[in-house]
Amino acid sequence: MECKSTWWGDADLTAAAAAITEVEASGLTLNQDYKNVTGVRAATNPEVALAAYFQRDEAGGNYGVNALPYLTGVDGALNLDKIPYAQTSANGQGAYQISPKSKALFTNPDDKRIPYTWITELQASGPKISWITKYSGNIYADGRVSDNDLIIYRLSDIFLMKAEAYAGLNNIPLAIEYLNKVRQRANTGNYTASTIKSDVEREILDERGRELFFENKRWYDLVRFHKGGTINVYTYVPNLVGKTTPLFWPLNTTVFANNPNIKQTEGY
C-alpha cells in the first residue's frame, strides 16, 4: 500500500480553498429539493457549474441508459410504477445497479437522496435488484429516454472539495461546516461524531459517496483518499482485495505506435 499523507502540500490545499471561494461567489445555490439535482436541465439549474448537455436524439451517448432496466426485466414488480424502466432494451440496458457497499453508505433512512439514487425492485417472492434512479431521463409518448444532462461539477461537490481541503489543512471546524452544508440539504443532520482529522476525512469520503453516487466521481475519490492515507483501497474495494492492480490505467497500444519512446504505466 502506498499512502502518503503529505502527497499534496498546504500551499496546494490553501490554493484549492481559495479557488472554491471564487466559485461560491459566482452565484451558484443548492437546489432545495434533491430531485432537481439531475431532474432540472443545467441551463436553468442553480446548482450546476458544468454539465454535458443531452437531448433526446443524442441519448445513445448518455451512460445513464446503462442503468435503466427495460420492461421485460422488471415486469411483475409490485412497485413497477416507481421503477424508472424503459420500454425496450434499446433505451434501457439494465447493466448497472448500486453495489451493496455504496448502498450501505446511506445509514440514515430519512436521507432525502435515497429515492433519487436507487430503488429496490419488489417481486412477490421478495426484494430483488436495487436499480439506480439518478439519471432516469424523461418519459415521451413512445417511452422513457435517458437524456438527462450529465453533471460534471455542481455546488455540493464543490462544498465537499472545500471540506476536504480544510480537513487536509487540519482546520476541522471549517471542514465540518462545509460538510454540514451538504448534510443539511439531505436531511441527515449536522455531523456530530469524532473530530479527529482521519475520522472527519473518512466522513467526507463517505458523504461524497452518498451525494455524488453515479456522477463519475467515486473512483477518483477512492484513489485520492487512498493516496492521502484515509483508506487502503486494496482492502476497501472488494474487487481489489488481495491484488496489486495499479491505480492508474494502462496506455493503449496506439500510443506506442505513435511514439515508441513512451513507456507503459508501471504495473502493466
Side-chain angles (χ1 to χ4, degrees), residues 24 53 81 91 111 124 129 134 141 153 199 201 210 229 233 235:
E24 290 179 84
Y53 172 73
D81 61 323
N91 288 343
D111 194 322
I129 289 173
K134 195 156 207 179
Y153 290 111
D199 292 337
E201 288 178 326
R210 291 183 283 263
V233 77
T235 59

Side-chain angles (χ1 to χ4, degrees), residues 40-268:
V40 174
R41 290 282 186 189
T44 56
N45 194 322
E47 183 167 341
V48 175
L50 181 65
Y53 172 73
F54 279 87
Q55 60 183 355
R56 178 188 168 124
D57 294 334
E58 299 174 320
N62 187 321
Y63 73 84
V65 70
N66 294 303
L68 299 185
Y70 47 92
L71 182 57
T72 56
V74 295
D75 198 20
L78 303 179
N79 57 341
L80 182 62
D81 61 323
K82 295 182 172 60
I83 298 173
Y85 66 86
Q87 291 291 337
T88 68
S89 59
N91 288 343
Q93 299 298 313
Y96 299 155
Q97 62 174 295
I98 186 170
S99 71
K101 197 172 186 74
S102 290
K103 191 174 178 181
L105 293 173
F106 293 82
T107 56
N108 189 328
D110 296 325
D111 194 322
K112 290 184 175 181
R113 295 170 294 200
I114 292 174
Y116 308 105
T117 303
W118 89 85
I119 184 170
T120 300
E121 175 189 340
L122 301 176
Q123 293 283 352
S125 58
K128 296 293 183 182
I129 289 173
S130 290
W131 298 104
I132 297 168
T133 58
K134 195 156 207 179
Y135 284 123
S136 57
N138 291 286
I139 299 176
Y140 297 91
D142 55 347
R144 185 184 298 274
V145 175
S146 179
D147 61 348
N148 295 93
D149 292 348
L150 296 182
I151 297 171
I152 300 171
Y153 290 111
R154 59 185 177 91
L155 187 58
S156 60
D157 177 12
I158 292 165
F159 280 160
L160 291 171
M161 289 182 195
K162 199 167 193 181
E164 183 182 341
Y166 280 135
L169 290 167
N170 211 27
N171 189 334
I172 302 305
L174 275 179
I176 293 174
E177 177 183 326
Y178 275 85
L179 171 63
N180 285 338
K181 288 177 184 288
V182 178
R183 292 175 61 93
Q184 287 161 4
R185 197 257 302 269
N187 194 43
T188 55
N190 288 339
Y191 175 74
T192 58
S194 168
T195 57
I196 296 172
K197 179 175 179 288
S198 59
D199 292 337
V200 173
E201 288 178 326
R202 178 58 182 265
E203 183 62 26
I204 292 168
L205 174 63
D206 288 350
E207 190 66 28
R208 289 185 64 83
R210 291 183 283 263
E211 178 70 17
L212 303 169
F213 177 79
F214 204 50
E215 293 184 38
N216 280 330
K217 304 285 182 177
R218 190 60 171 169
W219 175 247
Y220 304 99
D221 288 349
L222 293 177
V223 171
R224 191 170 65 257
F225 280 82
H226 168 82
K227 289 288 186 178
T230 304
I231 61 168
N232 179 352
V233 77
Y234 292 103
T235 59
Y236 186 91
V237 177
N239 285 344
L240 289 179
V241 173
K243 299 179 182 178
T244 58
T245 306
L247 301 184
F248 299 95
W249 288 292
L251 295 173
N252 191 280
T253 53
T254 56
V255 174
F256 306 119
N258 292 326
N259 188 343
N261 295 319
I262 292 179
K263 299 185 181 300
Q264 181 58 277
T265 305
E266 185 178 352
Y268 288 98

